[in-house]
Amino acid sequence: MKKVLLASACLFALAAPASAADLAARPYTKAPIAPAAVYNWTGFYLGVVGGGAWEESSTDPKMNGGFVGGTAGYNWQTGNVVFGLEADGAWADVSASVTGATVVPGFGVATATLSSKTDAMGTVRGRIGWAVNNVLLYGTGGYAWIDNKVTLSALGVSVSDSKWHSGWTVGAGVEAFFAPQWSVKGEYLYRSFGSENYFSNLGVPVASGTINFHTVQVGVNYHFGGPIVAKY
C-alpha cells in the first residue's frame, strides 16, 4: 500500500506542471482612464459684486467711492463661444462736495456747500466671450443707470434733489470656475450718463452735465444646473 501511495504522489507531482502549462494566460486589460472635467458655461447664475468707481471729469472735485450689490445672468455656450445676458444692481457711496462763497439774496455773501452723491447704480448688459474650459474672457456692453442726489447747504439750511440718470456702458472681464458650481470674475466698465436738471421745482434748474464713471469690480457667482460634464 505504501508503494502504491508513493507512486501516486510521484505521478501527481509530474502531472501538475504539465497541467499548469496547459492553462491559458490571463488577458491583459488596461486600467480605466480617469475622466477629465470639461466645463460648460450654459445656465443660470446668481452672485454678489462689489468694487470702486471714480468720475471722469475735467474739473475738481471728482466723485469717487465704492459699491456692493447682486448679479443675475444666463449664459449660452456653443463650441468655445459663450453668449450671455447679465443684470446687476448695487448700493453705492460715490460722492464729492465743494465749499465756497455765494451770494444769498437779502443776506449777502455766505458760505455754501454743494455735494453730489450716487446712492445706487446698475446695468443690464449683453456678454460675448471665448471659453477655454473653466476660464472665460469676454466683452460686455448695454444699458446703465444711477440714482444721484445733489444737496445745497447754506446758512444752516439744506435742500436736496434726486434724479435717475440713464446711459450706456461698455467693458471687458475675465471669469473662472474655482469649484464645480462657483466662479470668480474681475471686470472693468466705463459708464456714461445723460444730463439731468436739478432743483427745477425751485425755479432755478441746475444742469448736471454728462456724468462719466470708470468702475472696477469683482464678483462671485453660483451656477445652477451643474456646469461640469465628464469626458473620457
Side-chain angles (χ1 to χ4, degrees):
M1 180 60 70
K2 289 182 180 181
K3 291 181 179 181
V4 172
L5 292 175
L6 181 60
S8 299
C10 292
L11 182 62
F12 177 78
L14 293 173
S19 298
D22 292 339
L23 294 175
R26 290 190 301 171
Y28 172 75
T29 58
K30 296 175 67 175
I33 301 174
V38 176
Y39 287 76
N40 189 313
W41 289 81
T42 297
F44 177 70
Y45 60 90
L46 291 174
V48 294
V49 66
W54 63 98
E55 184 183 9
E56 180 184 273
S57 174
S58 58
T59 60
D60 288 322
K62 300 177 178 65
M63 288 193 289
N64 64 84
F67 58 91
V68 62
T71 302
Y74 193 92
N75 291 318
W76 297 266
Q77 181 170 353
T78 174
N80 291 93
V81 180
V82 177
F83 303 91
L85 289 174
E86 182 173 287
D88 60 64
W91 295 276
D93 186 2
V94 183
S95 62
S97 63
V98 59
T99 299
T102 187
V103 176
V104 179
F107 181 83
V109 178
T111 299
T113 299
L114 180 68
S115 63
S116 180
K117 179 182 179 182
T118 295
D119 297 308
M121 62 199 314
T123 67
V124 179
R125 295 175 280 119
R127 302 200 309 172
I128 182 170
W130 184 264
V132 182
N133 200 14
N134 66 319
V135 178
L136 174 66
L137 302 173
Y138 62 90
T140 182
Y143 171 74
W145 60 269
I146 59 171
D147 185 17
N148 194 68
K149 180 170 70 174
V150 173
T151 301
L152 177 62
S153 301
L155 304 176
V157 178
S158 295
V159 290
S160 299
D161 193 11
S162 295
K163 295 293 182 182
W164 179 283
H165 293 252
S166 291
W168 54 270
T169 182
V170 66
V174 58
E175 186 170 0
F177 279 101
F178 63 90
Q181 291 176 285
W182 292 92
S183 68
V184 61
K185 72 175 182 180
E187 194 170 60
Y188 164 79
L189 294 177
Y190 180 81
R191 314 182 194 212
S192 182
F193 307 96
S195 178
E196 294 290 338
N197 289 328
Y198 288 81
F199 304 117
S200 296
N201 57 330
L202 299 180
V204 286
V206 178
S208 67
T210 301
I211 300 175
N212 299 316
F213 281 145
H214 297 278
T215 62
V216 175
Q217 57 196 47
V218 295
V220 176
N221 293 326
Y222 179 83
H223 298 255
F224 295 86
I228 298 181
V229 296
K231 181 179 180 181
Y232 291 88

